Amino acid sequence: MTRKILAALISLFAAACAQFSTHGTPAVERLYVMNCGEGVAGDISRWTPGMNEGKTMAFVDTCYLVKHANGWLLWDTGIMDAVAGMPDGLKPADPKAVHWKRPKTLAAQLAELGVKPSDIKYVAISHTHADHSGNVNMFPASTLLVQKAEYEWPVPAGQPPRFKPEHPVQKLEGDYDVFGDGSVRILSTPGHTPGHQCLLVKLPKTGTVVLSGDLAHFKDNWDSRRVPSMNTSADQTTASMQKVAGVLAQEKAQFWINHDKAQRDSMKMSPQYYE
Ligand SMILES: [Zn+2]
């Protein structure tokens, strides 16, 4: 009898351990990389001032779904799903910007995993440009994790507010440890926009990754620490790049660049996942 109780206790303990990392804290279980748009930039000199005049480049747009023991978090929502129904995609007002298409919707990729929008606890976006915030309203019950500086960034005259006022939100002022165990951390990285942020995720097998948002748009720009012309602050961007470079070195982390097609083409895409 005692043995049976002991065996039961051991299996209970093992089950409890399976939910926790080696550090004894609840942990990230999986990360899915999702196709949230594909496009062509008309003239990449707007990202590389003084260089690449008239040169076009293929861009991708990426969303990331994180499964933590204490809930789902979606990082960036991509270009709006309605673009999938537009035969010629979404033409930008500025022909130098990106002409986006949507080969797969975010909704279909979530459905493929059996995840309902109402299952998502947190929606965190790097910033409020349309290629990152396009589907925020698909998740009216999820708590938004955005910097106060981004939330309160005034919109141009005549434009609707950046977020619906009734959308649940946690307005952040700086870095934020989402689940309180250090495994998913928002890094405040202003400069591209006033409240731009990156996301650090500690995966049990893959190791630590930092998701770029638009801190850099492609690897060559990151390596050269170039500041695109549309950024709201060059000084803040440079400081944010230095901050993230320090984090990458300290955490021995990979840097996953949202719009970098060459890098994304080498990745496992949902429904495959990283763990
Ligand atoms: Zn972007």
Side-chain angles (χ1 to χ4, degrees):
M1 190 64 189
T2 324
R3 273 201 182 168
K4 267 190 181 167
I5 291 170
L6 193 63
L9 279 175
I10 286 169
S11 69
L12 263 176
F13 182 66
C17 285
Q19 290 199 34
F20 294 87
S21 75
T22 48
H23 305 292
T25 48
V28 175
E29 295 167 5
R30 293 175 177 191
L31 184 153
Y32 295 89
V33 180
M34 295 182 163
N35 183 327
C36 273
E38 292 186 1
V40 177
D43 182 341
I44 60 164
S45 64
R46 70 199 290 276
W47 290 274
T48 61
M51 296 174 65
N52 299 314
E53 213 69 48
K55 196 179 164 197
T56 65
M57 186 190 252
F59 270 44
V60 293
D61 196 22
T62 315
C63 301
Y64 306 85
L65 181 67
V66 178
K67 185 174 194 278
H68 184 280
N70 292 338
W72 292 96
L73 176 145
L74 178 65
W75 173 253
D76 276 342
T77 65
I79 202 83
M80 62 178 175
D81 272 3
V83 173
M86 301 176 185
D88 197 30
L90 192 65
K91 270 197 183 134
D94 174 359
K96 293 183 174 184
V98 183
H99 183 162
W100 288 113
K101 294 189 176 174
R102 245 296 183 185
K104 285 177 109 174
T105 62
L106 174 59
Q109 290 170 89
L110 291 173
E112 189 177 18
L113 300 177
V115 175
K116 295 188 292 293
S118 59
D119 294 335
I120 309 273
K121 189 171 188 177
Y122 299 112
V123 170
I125 56 167
S126 58
H127 63 297
T128 51
H129 285 162
D131 52 329
H132 299 261
S133 62
N135 293 302
V136 159
N137 293 332
M138 199 192 295
F139 308 93
S142 311
T143 298
L144 296 167
L145 299 176
V146 290
Q147 297 292 321
K148 188 166 178 274
E150 192 77 5
Y151 196 91
E152 293 177 355
W153 182 23
V155 291
Q159 297 263 342
R162 291 178 191 280
F163 301 100
K164 288 192 171 169
E166 65 270 24
H167 205 142
V169 62
Q170 252 178 282
K171 294 178 201 169
L172 311 177
E173 293 180 74
D175 296 355
Y176 181 65
D177 182 354
V178 178
F179 294 100
D181 61 5
S183 67
V184 180
R185 275 157 48 202
I186 286 175
L187 306 174
S188 168
T189 50
H192 182 59
T193 62
H196 184 275
Q197 50 189 14
C198 298
L199 190 73
L200 179 147
V201 183
K202 289 193 171 182
L203 286 156
K205 290 185 185 161
T206 307
T208 304
V209 300
V210 173
L211 307 178
S212 67
D214 282 356
L215 183 62
H217 292 75
F218 41 90
K219 188 175 181 297
D220 188 51
N221 255 14
W222 169 249
D223 291 343
S224 310
R225 305 285 191 271
R226 278 187 214 109
V227 179
S229 60
M230 80 291 280
N231 283 17
T232 54
S233 167
D235 287 348
Q236 281 188 335
T237 304
T238 302
S240 293
M241 285 175 166
Q242 280 169 4
K243 171 178 172 169
V244 168
V247 170
L248 294 176
Q250 195 183 350
E251 304 277 345
K252 296 186 174 60
Q254 301 175 47
F255 191 47
W256 288 1
I257 302 177
N258 190 309
H259 292 308
D260 189 301
K261 185 175 189 301
Q263 188 185 45
R264 200 227 46 193
D265 283 350
S266 72
M267 301 186 86
K268 283 190 281 194
M269 300 299 289
S270 183
Q272 296 183 78
Y273 55 85
Y274 290 88
E275 57 184 348

